[in-house]
Amino acid sequence: MNLQDAYAVLGVSPNATDDEIKTAYREKARKYHPDNYTDNPLSDLAQEKMQEINEAYDTIVHARQAGSAHT
């Protein structure tokens, strides 16, 4: 996932603080967590969305860590 897509998935701007990114991640994770969709026809979709949210968060965190390591 590219960095721009990662920010879009979490619904934050690239200028967002680390805390804003973490808050957005937690809100999305709570909303789409597969446990919330047990015995629901949308459970597969929720699981896919959760994977996308996790990937987006990981992409942003790794990019920011790599950027701060070189400054």
Side-chain angles (χ1 to χ4, degrees):
M1 174 177 296
N2 74 44
L3 199 51
Q4 201 63 25
D5 289 344
Y7 285 110
V9 167
L10 294 184
V12 295
S13 87
N15 298 326
T17 66
D18 290 347
D19 285 340
E20 290 170 331
I21 291 167
K22 190 180 294 184
T23 298
Y25 167 76
R26 287 180 177 163
E27 287 174 1
K28 298 267 186 193
R30 265 194 301 270
K31 181 176 181 179
Y32 293 105
H33 197 281
D35 288 350
N36 296 333
Y37 294 89
T38 304
D39 298 327
N40 186 312
L42 297 175
S43 64
D44 289 341
L45 184 59
Q47 189 169 3
E48 288 175 25
K49 187 68 172 172
M50 193 66 211
Q51 288 174 339
E52 182 182 35
I53 293 164
N54 285 330
E55 183 181 350
Y57 184 72
D58 289 345
T59 299
I60 293 169
V61 168
H62 285 98
R64 288 183 173 218
Q65 287 175 344
S68 65
H70 292 83
T71 57

